[in-house]
Amino acid sequence: MKASITAHKQFSVAKIDPRLYGSFIEHLGRAVYTGIYEPTHPSADDNGFRQDVIDLIKEIDVPVTRYPGGNFVSAYNWEDGIGPKENRPTRLDLAWHTAESNQVGIHEFADWAEKVGTEMMLAVNLGSRGLDEARSFLEYVNHPGGTYWSDLRKHNGREEPWNVKLWCLGNEMDGPWQIGQKTASEYGRVAFETAKAMRSFDNNIELVVCGSSSPMMDTYPEWEATVLDYTYETVNYISLHMYFENNDTNTSHYLAKAEQLGNYIETVASIIRMTKAKKRSDHNVYISFDEWNVWYHSREQDKPTIEGENGWPHAPALLEDIYDFADTLQVACILNTFIRNADVVKIGCMAQLVNVIAPIMTVEGGPAWRQSIFYPYMYASQYGRGTALNLAVTCDRYETNFASNVSYLDISCVESDQDDSLTFFIVNRHETEAIDFDIALEGFEHTRVIEDKIIGGYDLTQTNSPEAETIQPQDGKDSTIIERKFNASIEPLTYRMVRLGL
Ligand code: AHR
C-alpha cells in the first residue's frame, strides 16, 4: 500500500500547549503508596519518595500532574493530609473501597512535584463538600500569609505559597458512581458559585469545569451545553475523559477508536463555540482532556475490592493494567489525535502516571519499570512541543461499525519550538500490509534525518514486565530524502517516530 503526505510550513493547526502531555496521580491503589511514595524503598529520598520512579518520570518530562483525584477527590478532606503525619486520620475512601492513611497530602505532593519538575493541577471536592472547602484550600495553597489558612500552612512547614494556577472544579460530576453526583443544572450552579468565590480570591487562576466522563454517557452532550451555559465566563477549560477498551478481534478496528475521540473533541468544541456566540462573549474556553488511556485489562480482577469483598485495604493493587503491544499503538493514535486538535485541546493528562493504568510500574521494595505504552508518550512529550501542522494525507481507508473513512496511516506532525526540527508520529493501522509513504516538505529547506525510531514486530499480546522490558524502540532504517521528500516504509501494526532536522 502507498501513502503520500504533505507538510507545509504555513499550514499549521496551532501552537501546542506543553501541558498537553500532562499526567495524573490519584490516591488510588498503589499510585501514591508504594508508587511515588515508599519511605522504606532503597531509592527513597529524605521525604520518602522513590528516586527510581522520579527518574523514569523525568525521562517522559511530565509538564503538569493532576492531583488528588479522580473519584477519590469527591469525598476527600484535604485538611486530613496536613500537619504532623502521626496525627493524621485514617479515613475510608468510598470511591475505591479502601483505607486512606493520609501520610501523603498537599505538602508532600508539592515537594514531589517540585522535585519531578511538574506543575500541580489541583482538584477541589464538589461531591461531598463544596464552595467553602474549595476557597479554604485555595487560600491555604496560594495566600502569602497573615490569615488563618495561610498561617497554618506556614506553621506546617511551608513559608511561601505554592501559587498553583490550575484548579479543577470537582471530578466527573455526571457519573452515577461519583460521591455527590449532580445533574447538569445542579453542578452548573455549584461550579459557577465556586468559581466566582475562587476568582474573588485571585482572578488569574485557571479553572476547569467538568464535562462528560465519556461520550457514552446518556447526558452527553447536553451536559456540556448546560454546564457551560452556567459557567462559560468564569472558567477556562472544560474537562473531558475517555478510556479505551480492546474488545475487537480486529486490531485495525481497535485502533480506529481514536476516531471516536476526534468526534468527541469536535462536538464539544462546537458546543464551546455555540455557547460563546450565545453569550456574545470575547472569552475563550478550551478542552482539558484530563483523563485518558487504555483501561480494561484489570477490570475483572479489581471487582472484589471495589465491591467491598476485601474489606478496606490500604493501597491494594487496583487498576494495574499490564499493557500489551496493541495498546502501544492505541496510545500513539490517541496522542496523534490530541496533536491534530491542539487548537482546542490545551491540556491532556494520561491517566494515570504510576501503577494505576500507568506507563510506569513499581514492585514494592523492588524495581520500577516501563510499560509498553511508555515510549509513544515519552516521544510525544519530548518532541511534540511546538506547532502542530495540518497534514494532507492520501492513503487507503477502511470502515468499522463506529467510524468510517479511517486512514490506515495515522500521522501527526510538530514543528519544534526548541530546535530546528520537524517530528512525525506515525502508526500503520493495517493488520497485514506495509505502507510505503513519502512526505513532501513544503516551505522547509535542508532536511536531514536526526532520529528515526520504530516500535514494531511484536506479538500484539506481548507485554513488558519488571524482568524484561521487551517492547522497546529500535532504530529505523532504509529511509531516504530526495528533493525535500522523505521516503520510508512502515510495517503492519507498527509505530514510527521520525525527526527531521531543518
Ligand atoms: O482514573 C481512574 C478513574 O477513572 C478516576 O478516578 C475517575 O475520574 C475515572 O472514572
Side-chain angles (χ1 to χ4, degrees), residues 290-322:
D290 44 42
E291 285 190 33
W292 66 268
N293 206 346
V294 173
W295 174 14
Y296 73 100
H297 297 278
S298 62
R299 287 214 188 248
E300 276 308 306
Q301 80 206 29
D302 288 342
K303 268 190 187 158
T305 302
I306 293 172
E307 287 170 7
E309 288 172 29
N310 296 332
W312 299 91
H314 180 250
L318 277 177
L319 282 63
E320 298 207 2
D321 274 39
I322 301 300

Side-chain angles (χ1 to χ4, degrees), residues 28-35 294-302 306 315-323 354-358 360-364 369 371 466:
L28 194 187
R30 300 193 309 117
V32 173
Y33 307 107
T34 73
V294 173
W295 174 14
Y296 73 100
H297 297 278
S298 62
R299 287 214 188 248
E300 276 308 306
Q301 80 206 29
D302 288 342
I306 293 172
L318 277 177
L319 282 63
E320 298 207 2
D321 274 39
I322 301 300
Y323 292 115
V354 183
N355 285 335
V356 170
I357 39 175
I360 297 167
M361 301 295 290
T362 67
V363 177
E364 186 175 352
W369 54 282
Q371 291 240 50

Side-chain angles (χ1 to χ4, degrees), residues 72 75 77 80 89-94 98-102 312:
F72 171 79
N77 300 339
D80 291 343
T90 292
R91 300 267 189 203
L92 298 182
D93 167 23
L94 303 175
T98 55
E100 171 55 52
S101 65
N102 285 301
W312 299 91

Side-chain angles (χ1 to χ4, degrees), residues 24 26 28 70-71 96 171-172 177 241 243 291 295 319 351-352 357:
F24 174 31
E26 178 170 1
L28 194 187
N71 296 340
W96 301 103
N171 174 71
E172 294 190 348
W177 57 85
H241 295 175
Y243 290 100
E291 285 190 33
W295 174 14
L319 282 63
Q352 297 190 7
I357 39 175

